[in-house]
Amino acid sequence: MKQLLILSGKGGTGKTTMATAFIKLSSATAYADCDVDAPNLHLLMHQSAKAIESDYFGMPKAEINSQICVQCDLCRENCRFDAINFDDGYHVDPFVCEGCGVCEELCPVGAVSLKPEKAGDLMLYKEDVVFSRAQLKMGSGTSGMLVTEVKKSMKSAAEDAEFAIIDGSPGIGCPVIASLSGVDMVLIVAEPSISGIRDMERIIETARKFQARIAVCTNKFDTNIEIAESIEAFCKKNNLPFVGRVPFDLEAVEAINKGNSIIDSDSTSGFATRVVYKRTMELLSK
Amino acid sequence: MEGTKIKIAVLSGKGGTGKTLVAVNLAAIAKNSVYIDCDVEEPNGHLFFKPEQLKRHDISVKIPVVDEKLCTGCRSCVAFCKFNALAYINHKLMVFDEICHSCGGCSLFCPEKALSEREKVIGVVQNGKSEDVRVISGIMNVGETSGVPIIKEILKYANEYQDITVIDCPPGSACTVMESIKDADYCILVAEPTLFGVHNLNMVHDLVTLFNKPYGVVLNKCVQSENPAETYCTEKNINVLGKILFDNELGTINSNGLIAIRQSDKYFDVFNQLLHKVSEEVQHETVVNP
Ligand code: SF4
Ligand code: SF4
Ligand code: SF4
Ligand code: SF4
């Protein structure tokens, strides 16, 4: 299965809009939303059937049994994450606990145990096409592991699919690193602003660490043509294929608010997106 | 707001909604304020402030190192590590730095005392001034997985300086955001007038409710047509602190990395009003829920 991952370094650049257009244009039979923190793809990809849901368990959390605890303070002293507090007794803050198990191992009387905790939901739509996504429970860490699960469940449900599109997660941390592993190519959607350039540079640097092939396009390029041009110059200098510019388009915003894709209408942005699509697919098939 | 220290966290379900725009301009207008950029994966606030007299210091975490002469290959460290950051292969203990959470357990429990710890730099804190605003940014190194230790470190500055601290939160609602809002007195949720905007607003709304924080919404990029985010606020009875209209002038100022209130009288007024509104809200909160 060839996998194309769409990334942007930061949200709001039009990554999901681009992913939706790509899924429609390629008639992809497998796709996934790796933004497990704030997933949006399902808002545009209308699913007729209900998802098969399963619980996702991340790291377990420590729990202290105050009946047994002899208040020796060893666990609190040694918890590197400051997850253990003392007031009327010893308590673990589940939002901060990373489940490392140090406290459990140290406790002289066995008052601490690690309990599995649900950290999110996995959702798999499996009709003619396979769509895998997830929602991380509020405040849970380890979203990288959940991203890996999302990709795994897409792959195993769509074994025969030749091609898959993955909507990536924002940032450069663990969920992005997890979404990068094993993909054939990364399309980076950049926004022409001083911060957009910085975000793009950081995400390119991250993607390079994973030896992924990279292509770049700009979205809303006409909101700052000068910076849009310097993005293209940057790509040229660094030998990164530049695959097109999509203009800012209020029509696109309205299309998305109606839950449509920008390629559904005859808009300028829709046309430009088709060009980006065509060039990206040519590169991918090389 | 003389004499009262308040911490305002600015968040949004996702990037790109104008969170940094709001945070940067609020801090700039507040005078003698501190701006803390907790979006350590993509910190952009300093690109606007261009702070001077920069002081930097590294942030590091502890990673285990093995003394091969002492290690007997008992594998108890491997068995202990819940993150699979250790492996014993070919008579050698391997440490996978990127997935180590620096819990310290392996060194603590090695029966031969063969493990010790070294510092590994994962990012920097940058501290500077832009006019009268103290600008603190945490910048995570590329290739690192978690910015939480950096966020913890930079939030310490919130207590050190002036009256008003504005915290620019990371996107999303994961652990890093919770870390950033934990001590905030007030939360501003920034929302876009789109379908995505509502979905993301809904998530951060749940988060601030869960944390019992007083909050209000700023509607950004408003256009003439229907605003799903505004409808959401009306339905849920959420306080709208202000509306920023979609505007090419603002777009250009912003994309060129400039601060709107320092460029335009119009935006000076917009953010001045917002600051007053928030200050009133915070005072009201301290009276009602002291
Ligand atoms: S499991 Fe680890 S992080 Fe959680 S409370 Fe125990 S020592 Fe702290
Ligand atoms: S280590 Fe065990 S006995 Fe000691 S304070 Fe912690 S829970 Fe209580
Ligand atoms: S616990 Fe200590 S002695 Fe045992 S394998 Fe690990 S480092 Fe070596
Ligand atoms: S410090 Fe903790 S996470 Fe890191 S290798 Fe040791 S046991 Fe594993």
Side-chain angles (χ1 to χ4, degrees):
Chain A
M1 179 192 288
K2 269 205 169 155
Q3 299 180 45
L4 174 71
L5 171 68
I6 304 184
L7 285 180
S8 65
K10 201 150 194 159
T13 56
K15 185 168 55 62
T16 300
T17 314
M18 194 63 83
T20 316
F22 269 56
I23 291 166
K24 292 204 168 169
L25 288 168
S26 65
S27 315
T29 53
Y31 46 93
D33 189 349
C34 283
D35 187 350
V36 298
D37 212 348
N40 284 153
L41 189 60
H42 64 288
L43 299 173
L44 293 184
M45 300 308 301
H46 309 283
Q47 310 301 321
S48 49
K50 260 186 81 85
I52 309 163
E53 291 199 21
S54 49
D55 291 345
Y56 161 74
F57 290 89
M59 293 310 289
K61 307 273 172 187
E63 246 177 52
I64 293 174
N65 183 338
S66 53
Q67 308 277 288
I68 307 177
C69 170
V70 294
Q71 308 204 338
C72 70
D73 205 42
L74 266 178
C75 57
R76 198 192 55 82
E77 267 168 31
N78 287 282
C79 173
R80 287 267 175 96
F81 308 100
D82 301 322
I84 299 177
N85 305 311
F86 177 78
D87 37 51
D88 51 339
Y90 284 86
H91 300 285
V92 178
D93 178 348
F95 289 124
V96 189
C97 173
E98 302 219 3
C100 69
V102 166
C103 53
E104 183 191 39
E105 188 83 17
L106 276 176
C107 179
V109 292
V112 188
S113 50
L114 290 178
K115 296 262 164 70
E117 204 184 67
K118 186 178 161 183
D121 293 295
L122 280 152
M123 282 153 271
L124 185 71
Y125 304 87
K126 218 163 117 183
E127 307 167 83
D128 330 338
V129 298
V130 168
F131 172 25
S132 174
R133 69 180 190 98
Q135 176 73 59
L136 193 69
K137 208 176 112 194
M138 193 124 18
S140 293
T142 59
S143 47
M145 276 160 67
L146 183 52
V147 166
T148 307
E149 288 302 315
V150 167
K151 287 170 63 181
K152 237 200 248 162
S153 83
M154 175 190 78
K155 264 190 165 168
S156 57
E159 271 175 354
D160 305 328
E162 275 166 30
F163 177 59
I165 288 176
I166 300 166
D167 191 1
S169 17
I172 58 169
C174 68
V176 178
I177 290 172
S179 65
L180 270 164
S181 95
V183 302
D184 297 276
M185 195 162 123
V186 180
L187 174 65
I188 292 169
V189 184
E191 215 176 40
S193 66
I194 297 285
S195 17
I197 289 202
R198 193 72 199 105
D199 296 337
M200 176 189 73
E201 285 171 5
R202 280 168 74 82
I203 190 68
I204 287 173
E205 219 182 300
T206 310
R208 280 205 162 142
K209 287 207 173 211
F210 292 82
Q211 267 116 35
R213 285 162 64 199
I214 300 168
V216 179
C217 69
T218 43
N219 192 19
K220 308 175 199 166
F221 85 94
D222 47 353
T223 54
N224 196 324
I225 296 197
E226 230 172 279
I227 299 180
E229 278 169 0
S230 60
I231 289 179
E232 289 174 37
F234 175 90
C235 291
K236 202 171 225 166
K237 203 177 114 210
N238 290 281
N239 249 324
L240 297 165
F242 182 81
V243 290
R245 346 167 148 149
V246 179
F248 176 74
D249 188 355
L250 272 176
E251 255 180 76
V253 178
E254 283 188 26
I256 289 160
N257 278 346
K258 292 197 187 95
N260 293 327
S261 160
I262 49 169
I263 55 147
D264 292 339
S265 63
D266 275 335
S267 56
T268 46
S269 59
F271 181 75
T273 303
R274 285 172 195 268
V275 175
V276 171
Y277 169 73
K278 200 171 149 267
R279 293 193 189 146
T280 309
M281 295 308 275
E282 274 167 18
L283 280 174
L284 187 65
S285 65
K286 262 186 204 160
Chain B
M1 299 252 51
E2 289 293 306
T4 33
K5 279 196 174 190
I6 60 166
K7 289 182 213 165
I8 304 168
V10 183
L11 57 164
S12 65
K14 217 158 185 161
T17 54
K19 181 173 57 64
T20 297
L21 169 85
V22 171
V24 163
N25 281 284
L26 264 190
I29 209 152
K31 299 271 176 258
N32 279 315
S33 55
V34 191
Y35 166 85
I36 301 182
D37 197 346
C38 285
D39 191 357
V40 299
E41 291 185 31
E42 310 287 353
N44 287 330
H46 67 106
L47 301 174
F48 293 89
F49 278 117
K50 303 172 187 70
E52 289 165 5
Q53 306 157 26
L54 281 188
K55 281 185 261 161
R56 291 159 182 273
H57 66 267
D58 287 345
I59 300 287
S60 44
V61 293
K62 291 193 165 75
I63 300 285
V65 269
V66 64
D67 182 340
E68 279 166 21
K69 289 193 287 300
L70 294 176
C71 175
T72 56
C74 74
R75 288 185 170 85
S76 53
C77 57
V78 179
F80 172 77
C81 180
K82 303 282 185 292
F83 308 100
N84 300 317
L86 300 171
Y88 196 81
I89 305 166
N90 286 335
H91 307 287
K92 251 185 123 153
L93 184 71
M94 317 245 305
V95 182
F96 300 100
D97 288 14
E98 309 79 41
I99 45 178
C100 170
H101 285 228
S102 305
C103 71
C106 53
S107 330
L108 206 55
F109 304 126
C110 168
E112 310 298 332
K113 300 267 167 292
L115 288 169
S116 54
E117 291 181 307
R118 68 175 170 91
E119 300 278 325
K120 177 195 170 203
V121 175
I122 59 162
V124 295
V125 171
Q126 196 179 279
N127 176 347
K129 274 211 110 167
S130 170
E131 296 187 8
D132 58 0
V133 183
R134 172 67 55 188
V135 180
I136 314 284
S137 322
I139 308 170
M140 183 174 100
N141 288 350
V142 168
E144 292 301 332
T145 52
S146 168
V148 174
I150 305 175
I151 294 177
K152 278 193 180 163
E153 182 70 25
I154 57 178
L155 283 171
K156 290 185 188 153
Y157 287 93
N159 297 317
E160 233 162 81
Y161 293 103
Q162 291 85 343
D163 302 341
I164 290 188
T165 302
V166 180
I167 300 166
D168 196 350
C169 296
S173 58
C175 47
T176 47
V177 184
M178 306 201 3
E179 197 65 47
S180 317
I181 69 165
K182 228 165 40 192
D183 296 324
D185 301 300
Y186 194 81
C187 294
I188 298 179
L189 319 181
V190 185
E192 270 189 353
T194 63
L195 199 63
F196 293 165
V198 178
H199 187 67
N200 303 331
L201 176 60
N202 190 356
M203 283 186 338
V204 276
H205 181 215
D206 285 351
L207 184 72
V208 291
T209 323
L210 181 76
F211 272 65
N212 237 330
K213 295 283 175 192
Y215 63 92
V217 170
V218 170
L219 298 166
N220 190 22
K221 301 186 198 171
C222 297
V223 285
Q224 285 305 325
S225 56
E226 196 200 333
N227 186 337
E230 188 168 16
T231 317
Y232 176 90
C233 292
T234 318
E235 276 169 10
K236 300 252 162 172
N237 223 341
I238 297 172
N239 187 8
V240 174
L241 302 165
K243 271 170 134 180
I244 301 169
L245 301 182
F246 177 81
D247 171 17
N248 282 329
E249 184 199 347
L250 182 60
T252 310
I253 292 174
N254 213 23
S255 64
N256 284 321
L258 299 169
I259 295 177
I261 66 139
R262 292 182 185 170
Q263 301 296 317
S264 134
D265 291 342
K266 182 166 105 196
Y267 283 103
F268 187 93
D269 292 341
V270 169
F271 284 100
N272 208 10
Q273 271 178 26
L274 181 61
L275 180 68
H276 279 284
K277 192 92 198 257
V278 173
S279 309
E280 271 170 32
E281 293 281 323
V282 175
Q283 264 163 353
H284 176 73
E285 275 299 325
T286 40
V287 175
V288 181
N289 298 312

